[in-house]
Amino acid sequence: MSAVLTQSELPALTLYARGKVRDIYEAGNDLLFLASDRISAFDHILPTPIPDKGKVLTQLSLFWFDVLRTIVSNHVITARVEEYPEPLRYFPDPLRGRSMLVRHANMFPVECVARGYLAGSGWKEYQTTRSICGISLPPGLRESEQLPVPIFTPATKSSSGHDINISFNDMANIVGADAAERLRDLTLRIYALAAQHASARGIIVADTKFEFGIVDGNIVLADEVLTPDSSRFWPAESYHPGGPQLSYDKQYVRDYLESIHWDKNPPAPALPDEVVQQTRKKYIQAYRQLSGRELEL
């Protein structure tokens, strides 16, 4: 197990943004993405980090960026610290295995969600409206059931950070009709390829979200891709529709927080060691199973 990174402090570098998980630094005209071991749930950063989580997010994203480049380009320049420009090379220890140098993309202000199964906010919406984001679905579907075909359900964020499901028409009003069509097509094509790859390795990708941006006039895939933070990964061997599923993602943490009846207001509670260690194991298992590689610690 490597050193835990909760929050990075890199002297001589300018912090561009700090998200729930990633610290982003300026690197000339480019950006350095550094994934910490912070974990968030219900829109709050928890006080307890998950060791090596940032390495899983980075290394799994890099794996998928490579797999998916036949469909769409991405924003990655390199993840090899020795290839970083100065002064980034001065910080090999906190950067190695958990960072990537990327092009500075003009990001679309929407999340592109693909759903192949009925879970999460989609299940909640279906119970009320028999639809998700304006897409009508057959009656009588059960929780976690596979949908007749994968669907595209975009989302945007409010100022509070909650994902807000929107219709395709709403998305088109935000990004333009042509861009919306292109992003929907890319999202469903990526999901189809990823779901097929994961299925062959015993994992169901129930749903996942992507972010896209523009670099040199072209749409690129950016941020993180098909990680346990951005996806629902279910072990195929235990899949049984009709209720919640075992998972390789942070649903395990959400379930713990629900079990202690946290009211989802600050301060967020600390996680017990057993939950931390089990979550770490689930993240690393997802990486190992999907990529066929061992995590670089």
Side-chain angles (χ1 to χ4, degrees):
M1 189 183 300
S2 55
V4 173
L5 180 67
T6 303
Q7 181 170 299
S8 65
E9 298 295 342
L10 302 180
L13 297 183
T14 300
L15 185 68
Y16 177 79
R18 177 166 280 145
K20 291 177 182 174
V21 174
R22 283 168 188 77
D23 298 338
I24 303 175
Y25 291 88
E26 294 180 2
N29 294 325
D30 305 313
L31 296 172
L32 177 77
F33 274 37
L34 178 59
S36 75
D37 295 325
R38 299 189 294 270
I39 189 166
S40 67
F42 304 115
D43 296 306
H44 294 277
I45 298 173
L46 306 183
T48 316
I50 306 297
D52 300 313
K53 174 176 175 284
K55 293 193 172 186
V56 171
L57 299 186
T58 298
Q59 293 176 43
L60 189 54
S61 290
L62 289 167
F63 167 79
W64 284 116
F65 279 133
D66 189 52
V67 169
L68 299 170
R69 63 175 66 244
T70 57
I71 295 177
V72 61
S73 299
N74 59 70
H75 68 161
V76 178
I77 299 171
T78 183
R80 295 172 61 86
V81 176
E82 56 269 24
E83 296 176 357
Y84 290 176
E86 294 184 359
L88 301 183
R89 290 199 299 268
Y90 299 161
F91 310 100
D93 290 340
L95 299 186
R96 197 174 307 280
R98 64 166 73 244
S99 69
M100 50 188 174
L101 186 67
V102 304
R103 303 287 298 278
H104 194 158
N106 182 20
M107 300 298 292
F108 289 101
V110 291
E111 292 184 336
C112 295
V113 181
R115 299 178 186 271
Y117 293 75
L118 196 53
S121 64
W123 166 242
K124 291 179 181 178
E125 187 173 344
Y126 172 79
Q127 291 177 285
T128 303
T129 67
R130 294 296 180 266
S131 65
I132 305 177
C133 295
I135 300 172
S136 296
L137 295 172
L141 296 179
R142 296 167 292 173
E143 183 178 5
S144 303
E145 189 155 2
Q146 186 172 16
L147 299 174
V149 295
I151 60 175
F152 175 72
T153 61
T156 187
K157 286 185 177 289
S158 72
S159 57
S160 66
H162 292 276
D163 294 351
I164 306 296
N165 291 343
I166 58 175
S167 70
F168 179 77
N169 287 338
D170 289 336
M171 176 181 170
N173 289 333
I174 295 171
V175 304
D178 290 344
E181 292 276 3
R182 178 71 173 136
L183 294 177
R184 178 172 62 183
D185 176 65
L186 283 171
T187 297
L188 293 175
R189 288 174 62 198
I190 292 169
Y191 176 77
L193 178 60
Q196 181 182 40
H197 173 95
S199 177
R201 287 153 180 81
I203 290 180
I204 293 170
V205 183
D207 56 48
T208 191
K209 61 184 178 182
F210 306 112
E211 295 196 39
F212 297 92
I214 298 288
V215 172
D216 295 335
N218 298 312
I219 293 178
V220 299
L221 186 59
D223 197 44
E224 66 178 308
V225 185
L226 290 151
T227 72
D229 269 15
S230 65
S231 316
R232 292 180 204 277
F233 293 143
W234 297 338
E237 63 183 7
S238 62
Y239 171 66
H240 187 75
Q245 305 297 307
L246 297 176
S247 70
Y248 288 134
D249 52 62
K250 66 179 178 180
Q251 188 61 43
Y252 183 79
V253 171
R254 296 190 194 101
D255 290 345
Y256 166 76
L257 294 173
E258 293 280 19
S259 75
I260 63 171
H261 306 293
W262 175 42
D263 63 5
K264 303 179 181 63
N265 290 313
L271 299 176
D273 186 63
E274 180 183 0
V275 173
V276 170
Q277 296 306 320
Q278 287 298 318
T279 302
R280 178 180 182 271
K281 285 176 60 177
K282 286 172 178 289
Y283 272 60
I284 291 177
Q285 178 62 26
Y287 174 79
R288 181 185 294 124
Q289 204 162 326
L290 288 167
S291 71
R293 304 169 184 170
E294 291 299 321
L295 188 69
E296 177 188 340
L297 296 175

